[in-house]
Amino acid sequence: MAANNSVVGVESPKYVINYRLVVVQVLVSVFLFINFLLIRTFFVKDFYTTTRYILFATTLLSDSIFLIISDILLIFTFIKITMQVWLCVIIYIFLSLFTFVTPVTLTAMTLERYVAICMPLRHGELCSTRKAVHCVLIIYGLSSIPWIVVLATLFALASHNFYYQDRQCTLEMFIFYQWQGHVRSAINQFYFLIMFIAIVFCYLKIMKVAKAASAEDKKSTWKGLKTVILHAFQLSLCLVQLWCPFIENAVLQISFILFINVRYFNYITFILAPRCISPLVYGIRDEMFFQALKYYALCGLYKKPSSNLS
């Protein structure tokens, strides 16, 4: 009886992990297909001349690259593929960069909605195409700070031979001392605080304008407010993702099986879920983009969308 129980105890988690891996592959494939379709629509039409669509495309590109890299690492971890540390460092740079690009871009999109609704006369000046490109460069610059700090501490502490060791690629391999984890936590909390303040500020200002708007302006104003709320929900999921490594490390001290369950839940809820909300916000709720999306998704069988982007 004891022998049978031990066999079940070994095989059951393996079966669960196989099942979960398949589920993740299906979800990632669906999200990537939708994102690539949206990106194609963005470049085929003249959406790249409008600031909010440029920022939207930035999140789509960031989400797609992040999903591809994280999914490859998930498969490598499952089949226990190792790589040299220097290669893992390069992968970590891209993974960390695109982890922050999405929430920072969402904050920028919220600020763009704030300008459009609360400062409509200055929207054309502040949100021109040229300034949108500058904004994207700033987003990537701000998103690079966390990985620069983490790798700076790694380069200061690790020996030359460390980068040629074969290991499984995980973030934990870069943390030698507890203070490194505290530094990373402080950076994440700082980003969390700044983006939270920006979202709340924009929400309150737009709410004030919505209440004072005339009858004909209320519809567009409240639609902008709902967009900000969706951004806030998506951003909250992205920001919780920054806390996941600390939660998982604490759970790992308790039980490895519980650690696997928590990490799977975090991946689905705080990594995959936020990346499927972007298509909802602009790919479906935005009427102009949705009309163009239907046209190209149905290979021109749907009526041709209007080219007016004003």
Side-chain angles (χ1 to χ4, degrees):
M1 181 68 69
N4 290 338
N5 287 338
S6 65
V7 170
V8 173
V10 171
E11 292 182 353
S12 180
K14 185 176 180 181
Y15 171 79
V16 172
I17 292 175
N18 280 330
Y19 168 75
R20 289 175 174 178
L21 186 66
V22 171
V23 171
V24 169
Q25 299 313 303
V26 172
L27 292 176
V28 169
S29 299
V30 171
F31 294 158
L32 286 177
F33 174 77
I34 295 174
N35 283 358
F36 289 152
L37 184 60
L38 291 170
I39 292 173
R40 178 184 182 274
T41 303
F42 169 79
F43 283 107
V44 170
K45 291 298 293 180
D46 294 334
F47 292 110
Y48 51 81
T49 61
T50 308
T51 298
R52 59 176 174 169
Y53 295 124
I54 292 175
L55 295 177
F56 173 48
T58 301
T59 63
L60 290 177
L61 182 61
S62 170
D63 291 344
S64 299
I65 296 176
F66 180 89
L67 287 176
I68 292 172
I69 296 176
S70 63
D71 189 47
I72 291 175
L73 287 181
L74 177 67
I75 296 173
F76 281 8
T77 300
F78 173 73
I79 60 181
K80 301 186 184 306
I81 291 181
T82 61
M83 65 182 69
Q84 291 191 339
V85 175
W86 66 265
L87 180 57
C88 185
V89 168
I90 296 175
I91 294 175
Y92 170 74
I93 290 175
F94 286 99
L95 196 61
S96 176
L97 173 65
F98 292 113
T99 296
F100 283 89
V101 164
T102 293
V104 175
T105 306
L106 288 174
T107 305
M109 294 171 76
T110 303
L111 292 172
E112 186 274 334
R113 288 293 84 198
Y114 160 73
V115 173
I117 294 174
C118 300
M119 306 168 62
L121 297 180
R122 299 197 62 191
H123 183 262
E125 173 192 351
L126 297 177
C127 300
S128 63
T129 304
R130 181 179 179 181
K131 290 188 176 180
V133 174
H134 293 164
C135 181
V136 172
L137 295 177
I138 294 174
I139 288 171
Y140 275 83
L142 293 174
S143 302
S144 298
I145 295 176
W147 69 258
I148 291 175
V149 174
V150 171
L151 293 187
T153 60
L154 174 67
F155 295 153
L157 297 172
S159 63
H160 179 74
N161 294 332
F162 172 75
Y163 301 103
Y164 295 95
Q165 296 177 9
D166 288 324
R167 296 192 179 188
Q168 283 194 339
C169 188
T170 62
L171 176 61
E172 288 72 22
M173 66 187 293
F174 300 145
I175 307 297
F176 296 141
Y177 299 100
Q178 191 174 13
W179 64 265
Q180 291 177 276
H182 293 330
V183 170
R184 184 162 63 98
S185 175
I187 294 174
N188 291 348
Q189 292 179 46
F190 177 75
Y191 273 72
F192 181 96
L193 178 63
I194 295 300
M195 289 186 280
F196 176 79
I197 292 174
I199 291 290
V200 173
F201 171 80
C202 293
Y203 176 83
L204 293 177
K205 288 293 185 179
I206 294 176
M207 175 69 76
K208 183 178 179 180
V209 172
K211 289 183 178 180
S214 58
E216 58 269 17
D217 293 334
K218 279 188 179 295
K219 184 177 180 181
S220 60
T221 304
W222 281 104
K223 184 177 180 180
L225 185 63
K226 291 178 182 178
T227 301
V228 172
I229 293 174
L230 283 173
H231 282 328
F233 176 69
Q234 184 181 11
L235 184 61
S236 65
L237 293 179
C238 291
L239 295 177
V240 171
Q241 176 193 342
L242 303 179
W243 293 83
C244 288
F246 310 108
I247 298 174
E248 293 167 2
N249 288 337
V251 171
L252 182 59
Q253 307 301 321
I254 302 174
S255 169
F256 181 72
I257 298 300
L258 181 60
F259 166 77
I260 293 177
N261 294 333
V262 170
R263 172 161 282 191
Y264 178 76
F265 173 81
N266 288 342
Y267 188 80
I268 296 294
T269 307
F270 303 119
I271 294 180
L272 292 186
R275 270 103 189 146
C276 73
I277 297 179
S278 288
L280 173 65
V281 176
Y282 278 111
I284 298 178
R285 289 186 69 251
D286 189 285
E287 182 178 355
M288 189 175 301
F289 199 95
F290 184 56
Q291 297 298 328
L293 177 64
K294 285 198 295 185
Y295 177 78
Y296 293 109
L298 298 177
C299 301
L301 296 179
Y302 185 75
K303 66 178 182 179
K304 188 174 181 179
S306 173
S307 60
N308 181 19
L309 294 178
S310 57

